[in-house]
Amino acid sequence: MKASDLFVKCLEAEGVEFIFGVPGEENADLMISLDNSPIRFILCRHEQAAAFMADVYGRLTGRAGVCLSTLGPGATNLVTGVANGNMDRSPMVVITGQGGTQRLHKESHQAMDIVDMFKPLTKWADMVQHPDNIPEMIRKAFKLAECEKPGACLVELPEDIAEMEAEGVPIPPVPTRRPGPDPKALVDAVGLIHAAKNPIILAGNGCVRKRSSEQLCRFVTRTGVGVVNTFMGKGAIPRSSEHCLFTIGLQSRDHVSCIMDEADLVIAIGYDLVEYDPMRWNQGNSKKILHIDFLPAEVDDQYRADVELIGDIANCLHGLIEALGDLEEPLFDISRHAKRRAEMIADFDSHNDDETTGTIRPQKALADCRAVLGPGDLLLSDVGAHKMWVARHFHCDEPNTCLIPNGFCSMGFALPGAISAKLIHPDKRVIAVCGDAGFLMNIQDFETAVRYNVPIVCLVWEDFAYGLIEWKQETHFGRHVDLSFRNPDFVKLAEAFGGYGAYVDKSADLQGALEKAFASGKPSIVAMPVDYAENLRLTKRLGELTCSL
């Protein structure tokens, strides 16, 4: 068969449902082959958006999301989204076209070394140099992308290779069992836990896998240890659990920082250092660390693991539970955190009943988002000042229901990511919470949502500025440089694309406006003027915070 047909057969064998992308001349044979395939090609308006869609597909399913571009500028446009997914441990396979191999040795139209450009951003990247190599290369790309820790892999298909005749058949995926922890390490881990007086769990993005979350809940119930999660670990245990001590990750101190300060043992589970620098919670190496993850701990002066349980996280936690033996009662009394947990909840809920007019507080906006979303519905946060509020105030009942880019932290993530989330879960409500700056970075793909009839709701916090940078400059210097800009009329913009638009400047009306947007059955933009005076008020309050028991 033709090489491009074999390429598509290999993608089908991997169970690919969607390919997100923008094709070009050099993808022509592949696109014609895809046209005869059950794989659904989602035509995007920008390659960066396509990469974000693949990123979210990977996060939500555990299977590699696939994005596609042509050579040259198409491939360079993919870079930001691929880097974002790779750093946030999203399994992705990136497919790019390339010029014919007979012209790659010389200066040539749009030709550049795509493979070398992507090597720092991926787990593996290579070019198909012979059509018969396609089955091995596709299988390798998906296997590496999906194995722990997940990330992005790139396969480049030159146009002359794509049209050649190929021999071979797809290599079927074979599930592999992930290893369990070393028995001696389990004994050492049990010893650390028994020796601790005030342990705490730091749950990272590895904990939002379904099996990991289930075993984590078993472990905390058995031991009585409280859980602090990173931005990406939200929902690892339900917000209603007395063991849930909410989110760490703000640059300034917070209630949860007091909990980390008091801990003598940090049980770091599925935690990547990129999520929250250990120098912020372990300066001076004052704490013992039990590292539980798929891979050995990164070397960092403030992250010196005393014991490492390496293997599948769920297997490690199951083994640890078994090694602890039968316990008549939990090892630790979770009620020791009850007062501080109650204080945090009161803080989070302090503006739920706001009735302000003119601007809407971040706290109120997120309370209303939580109110209109069910336990399994999804909220995706873009990057900006609003992300800090989402991290602090939006809490989850289930894992993987709040997606926040937190490694590469790229703006422009939420709108295309929400499209992908809704395609995967058409029965769930999906909200993208965006700043006005980040939202406009990929606004063109709102048309993609309209064209494919993907009824997401984009809640745009309008402050006419790069608010997070302004917040940080004000905090650090007491002033900020000019970071302001103008916006379009978001209601008219939504309607121009064929969607639904609403503008809400009364706090009491926001929840109803969100419900109306969902009821419209269209991709929607709900714009609100945000009260970012709350940023500096929060900074002031946290600066005065004392860690009293």
Side-chain angles (χ1 to χ4, degrees):
M1 69 179 75
K2 194 164 72 168
S4 60
D5 291 335
L6 178 58
F7 198 101
V8 170
K9 292 294 181 187
C10 291
L11 296 177
E12 292 172 358
E14 296 292 340
V16 174
E17 294 179 276
F18 302 102
I19 296 178
F20 308 96
V22 182
E25 286 180 54
E26 289 72 19
N27 309 113
D29 287 280
L30 184 60
M31 293 303 297
I32 296 299
S33 297
L34 269 174
D35 200 41
N36 299 315
S37 167
I39 297 172
R40 190 176 177 193
F41 186 79
I42 303 298
L43 180 67
C44 301
R45 301 300 301 271
H46 196 286
E47 293 88 351
Q48 184 187 109
F52 285 136
M53 292 179 196
D55 171 352
V56 167
Y57 183 96
R59 294 187 203 213
L60 292 180
T61 67
R63 305 190 308 273
V66 183
C67 55
L68 174 144
S69 80
T70 187
L71 79 172
T76 57
N77 280 347
L78 281 175
V79 163
T80 297
V82 173
N84 192 81
N86 191 61
M87 194 169 281
D88 280 349
R89 310 294 193 182
S90 301
M92 300 172 63
V93 169
V94 183
I95 301 167
T96 64
Q98 182 55 280
T101 55
Q102 75 280 3
R103 67 180 177 96
L104 297 183
H105 65 286
K106 60 184 179 181
E107 183 177 306
S108 183
H109 179 66
Q110 290 191 318
M112 54 170 288
D113 193 334
I114 294 172
V115 171
D116 271 5
M117 179 177 70
F118 273 90
K119 279 183 177 177
L121 315 175
T122 58
K123 296 176 72 176
W124 177 74
D126 212 338
M127 179 176 76
V128 178
Q129 300 190 42
H130 192 283
D132 294 351
N133 295 347
I134 287 172
E136 288 183 352
M137 293 187 71
I138 295 297
R139 178 80 282 269
K140 181 173 182 177
F142 278 84
K143 183 174 184 177
L144 289 179
E146 294 174 355
C147 73
E148 296 292 346
K149 289 188 174 184
C153 291
L154 175 132
V155 179
E156 179 186 70
L157 182 62
E159 59 181 335
D160 59 333
I161 301 290
E163 64 186 12
M164 291 179 182
E165 290 297 309
E167 298 284 340
V169 295
I171 299 174
V174 178
T176 55
R177 291 283 181 184
R178 294 199 286 253
D182 178 78
K184 290 183 179 178
L186 280 173
V187 172
D188 293 341
V190 169
L192 265 186
I193 293 170
H194 277 295
K197 290 184 170 58
N198 194 18
I200 199 73
I201 290 168
L202 178 58
N205 71 4
C207 290
V208 295
R209 278 77 152 178
K210 185 177 179 183
R211 289 181 62 249
S212 299
S213 174
E214 290 171 353
Q215 292 298 328
L216 176 61
C217 290
R218 284 188 64 215
F219 179 72
V220 299
T221 301
R222 180 72 65 90
T223 60
V225 180
V227 179
V228 169
N229 60 259
T230 64
F231 288 14
M232 296 184 71
K234 282 179 174 293
I237 65 168
R239 61 185 171 128
S240 58
S241 169
E242 62 182 343
H243 299 90
C244 178
L245 302 176
F246 305 111
T247 304
I248 197 165
L250 292 183
Q251 299 300 304
S252 53
R253 290 179 57 75
D254 203 343
H255 296 285
V256 72
S257 306
C258 301
I259 295 170
M260 293 296 290
D261 287 351
E262 294 159 7
D264 59 348
L265 169 65
V266 174
I267 305 172
I269 308 176
Y271 159 72
D272 289 328
L273 273 63
V274 72
E275 297 186 75
Y276 191 60
D277 196 319
M279 70 174 290
R280 295 192 173 275
W281 55 264
N282 193 36
Q283 266 192 328
N285 295 296
S286 59
K287 306 178 192 309
K288 296 285 186 181
I289 296 175
L290 169 55
H291 172 87
I292 303 176
D293 208 350
F294 299 99
L295 296 178
E298 172 69 277
V299 175
D300 186 283
D301 188 42
Q302 268 75 47
Y303 192 76
R304 304 181 187 182
D306 296 272
V307 176
E308 299 188 38
L309 289 186
I310 308 303
D312 178 86
I313 290 174
N315 290 343
C316 288
L317 288 172
H318 176 76
L320 195 51
I321 292 167
E322 294 297 308
L324 285 165
D326 293 329
L327 301 172
E328 293 184 6
E329 58 184 28
L331 293 172
F332 304 94
D333 183 3
I334 192 60
S335 68
R336 72 192 188 279
H337 295 301
K339 182 175 181 291
R340 190 159 280 135
R341 177 177 151 83
E343 289 173 350
M344 287 192 278
I345 291 172
D347 184 340
F348 301 151
D349 293 345
S350 59
H351 293 288
N352 289 6
D353 299 320
D354 273 5
E355 294 187 356
T356 57
T357 298
T359 57
I360 299 174
R361 286 187 176 96
Q363 303 95 311
K364 169 63 172 172
L366 292 169
D368 285 356
C369 286
R370 185 68 275 173
V372 301
L373 295 178
D377 294 334
L378 294 103
L379 182 145
L380 291 84
S381 173
D382 215 278
V383 173
H386 64 282
K387 171 185 160 181
M388 301 297 138
W389 289 102
V390 171
R392 189 172 192 268
H393 282 260
F394 188 86
H395 304 290
C396 302
D397 302 286
E398 298 179 11
N400 245 351
T401 53
C402 179
L403 303 188
I404 302 177
N406 202 42
F408 204 61
C409 287
S410 177
M411 297 171 73
F413 164 86
L415 166 57
I419 295 172
S420 180
K422 187 66 176 176
L423 287 169
I424 299 162
H425 296 298
D427 57 328
K428 296 183 178 182
R429 287 183 165 187
V430 178
I431 290 180
V433 175
C434 309
D436 45 7
F439 184 62
L440 288 171
M441 286 189 175
N442 273 314
I443 184 59
Q444 71 285 333
D445 274 276
F446 191 77
E447 186 276 332
T448 305
V450 173
R451 181 166 22 98
Y452 288 103
N453 191 26
V454 184
I456 59 172
V457 173
C458 302
L459 178 60
V460 180
W461 297 17
E462 192 171 31
D463 71 325
F464 300 93
Y466 289 99
L468 181 59
I469 306 305
E470 185 177 299
W471 186 0
K472 292 190 174 185
Q473 288 184 359
E474 282 283 353
T475 301
H476 191 73
F477 299 106
R479 64 187 183 91
H480 63 85
V481 299
D482 183 14
L483 295 163
S484 60
F485 48 74
R486 291 186 292 180
N487 287 322
D489 182 320
F490 284 112
V491 176
K492 290 181 179 178
L493 184 64
E495 292 170 349
F497 276 119
Y500 171 83
Y503 181 82
V504 186
D505 63 357
K506 295 180 180 178
S507 294
D509 295 343
L510 181 58
Q511 186 173 330
L514 292 172
E515 288 287 2
K516 191 173 181 181
F518 280 116
S520 76
K522 295 181 177 182
S524 302
I525 299 173
V526 178
M528 51 163 266
V530 63
D531 179 8
Y532 271 157
E534 286 294 309
N535 293 348
L536 294 179
R537 292 185 192 119
L538 178 63
T539 297
K540 184 175 186 297
R541 281 195 295 117
L542 296 183
E544 296 168 352
L545 181 69
T546 56
C547 294
S548 58
L549 289 172

